[in-house]
Amino acid sequence: MSIINVMWAGGSPFASVHKVHRQILSQIDPAMPVRTWLLQGSESACLEGVGPAREWNLTSAKLKGRHFWRLFRPWMHSRFRQALLDSAAQVVLLDGLGVARTLLPVLKDMPHIHVVVIFHGATRLNAVGRDLLRGFAPSRLALAAVSQTLAASLQEALGLPVTALRSAFDPAGFQTCLLPREEARARMHLPLAGPRIFGAVGRLVDKKGFASLLDAFALAAVAQPDWRLVIVGEGPAREALQARIDQPDLVDKVLLAGHLEDVAKLYRAFDWVLVPSFEEGLGLILQEAILAGVPVLASDLAVFREQLADAGWYAPAGDETAWGEAITRASEASAEAVAAAQYQALAPDEAWAGFCRTARELISGRQ
């Protein structure tokens, strides 16, 4: 018997999703084999270790049955079914609604397999998707979301129970890997002392709010020539962001550091971490920064308030003036005191224990 972990794709855009699935799978019996399926992309592109992987090399058009590819779906389903039988799969873990739409029609007629669908962010649910999920007996299908905020939203939209599996990190394991401040700054080629350095981490896409953050930082740093902003990540918005950085009010103040595989070790290079997202399913960056002892200023989103409550420092998403003022206030506050309060609010040890317990219940079907 085995567990099949089905992911839409590998690569940096999906790194956080793979990280969450790896955390879930860390809670199963080590004697039970786990095999990952990548519907698109290659194992070598995965930034998180996925173990033995099968690469299906399917295009989005094939997976979604667009146009004449609809005729391809019965053959594709037949291949999936045979692969599931060959693997003696007992549990199948599915990455979100897109993967669920692809695999659930096959799994519906395989009653010996327990199915878990993990939702990582806001999802567009149409009638077909709702009916597909509602077509399974609750004893066979478990739905989970990576935050209470997301779980509540999905439960209302689906009319089905959705378990809140607020993703978390093993605090001791995460903190063991952190580099000291000086080493982290050296790794990023930053000054070891002197300038105040704000950090931001994430995929360079519009919903992460980095364009708005640049305008806000320009306002806050107008009289602070020694302030620096470092944005770690890669993505399609890079060219537009770099064009803004090259403007006179930001030149020499902002660094696009690109993708860094070991970014989780480097948070202590920053005085504050800024999370200007317009939307998040959870926001692992917030958790990682706080575990590193670095205070966070984040968009005023329900999912962040869920984790930090009154200990959080918030600014309205997309409001450059409010963000600029908040960055200035942050620079004047005691970073150590804010970080300590946020760590206490996040309660990492308790959160990790709860995550482990819920993950085991989901996989076993006892939720």
Side-chain angles (χ1 to χ4, degrees):
M1 293 184 290
S2 66
I3 293 180
I4 303 297
N5 173 43
V6 188
M7 311 298 296
W8 187 259
S12 59
F14 305 93
S16 62
V17 175
H18 281 274
K19 188 175 294 185
V20 172
H21 280 238
R22 188 181 67 175
Q23 291 167 325
I24 294 169
L25 293 169
S26 72
Q27 299 307 305
I28 67 169
D29 183 348
M32 181 174 286
V34 176
R35 186 172 181 84
T36 293
W37 288 3
L38 297 174
L39 300 184
Q40 296 186 66
S42 66
E43 179 184 349
S44 61
C46 294
L47 304 181
E48 296 291 326
V50 298
R54 175 167 182 169
E55 300 169 0
W56 287 87
N57 298 311
L58 298 168
T59 65
S60 292
K62 289 179 180 179
L63 289 167
K64 296 177 181 179
R66 290 175 178 163
H67 308 301
F68 66 86
W69 288 114
R70 187 173 302 174
L71 302 175
F72 168 84
R73 299 195 82 177
W75 178 79
M76 180 177 70
H77 287 171
S78 177
R79 288 186 66 204
F80 286 144
R81 178 181 174 81
Q82 190 58 54
L84 288 166
L85 291 172
D86 291 344
S87 69
Q90 182 183 33
V91 178
V92 173
L93 185 64
L94 303 180
D95 160 29
L97 187 60
V99 174
R101 286 182 180 136
T102 301
L103 269 296
L104 287 183
V106 179
L107 291 162
K108 188 172 183 179
D109 297 323
M110 304 182 78
H112 61 287
I113 297 178
H114 176 60
V115 184
V116 182
V117 182
I118 307 296
F119 292 92
H120 299 270
T123 301
R124 294 180 180 178
L125 289 162
N126 57 24
V128 173
R130 286 193 294 269
D131 290 345
L132 188 60
L133 294 168
R134 290 170 180 170
F136 276 73
S139 59
R140 283 203 58 215
L141 176 67
L143 307 179
V146 295
S147 68
Q148 181 62 56
T149 301
L150 181 58
S153 173
L154 287 167
Q155 188 161 299
E156 181 178 0
L158 286 169
L160 294 171
V162 180
T163 299
L165 179 67
R166 197 180 91 184
S167 190
F169 295 95
D170 175 2
F174 182 86
Q175 291 164 349
T176 297
C177 297
L178 290 167
L179 294 180
R181 179 185 179 89
E182 292 76 15
E183 288 186 38
R185 287 198 171 189
R187 167 70 177 84
M188 301 177 72
H189 307 290
L190 299 173
L192 300 185
R196 186 180 298 274
I197 298 179
F198 298 85
V201 181
R203 179 102 168 122
L204 304 186
V205 293
D206 291 343
K207 72 176 185 178
K208 294 299 185 182
F210 293 137
S212 178
L213 176 62
L214 290 177
D215 289 337
F217 190 75
L219 293 174
V222 66
Q224 303 291 343
D226 63 334
W227 283 10
R228 298 292 181 268
L229 171 62
V230 179
I231 301 177
V232 181
E234 200 52 86
R238 182 185 182 91
E239 184 176 348
L241 294 174
Q242 187 62 60
R244 176 65 182 91
I245 291 168
D246 291 338
Q247 295 300 306
D249 57 348
L250 285 178
V251 69
D252 295 330
K253 290 187 176 182
V254 183
L255 169 66
L256 287 183
H259 170 72
L260 299 176
E261 290 190 11
D262 58 349
V263 64
K265 302 178 181 179
L266 305 176
Y267 283 96
R268 288 176 175 165
F270 308 130
D271 296 292
W272 278 77
V273 167
L274 311 178
V275 187
S277 304
F278 287 95
E279 63 178 61
E280 288 287 352
L282 177 68
L284 289 177
I285 302 305
L286 176 143
Q287 290 192 10
E288 291 179 337
I290 292 170
L291 281 171
V294 180
V296 174
L297 169 61
S299 293
D300 194 355
L301 302 181
V303 70
F304 294 149
R305 286 191 176 272
E306 172 189 327
Q307 297 177 74
L308 295 183
D310 293 340
W313 279 51
Y314 310 105
D319 187 331
E320 289 86 0
T321 300
W323 264 88
E325 293 171 352
I327 291 170
T328 298
R329 290 197 305 273
S331 72
E332 297 168 349
S334 166
E336 293 79 8
V338 175
Q342 291 183 346
Y343 192 97
Q344 183 175 11
L346 187 65
D349 293 294
E350 180 181 333
W352 176 244
F355 173 85
C356 295
R357 181 175 59 253
T358 304
R360 288 192 292 267
E361 291 172 352
L362 283 168
I363 294 295
S364 68
R366 296 196 306 269
Q367 78 285 350

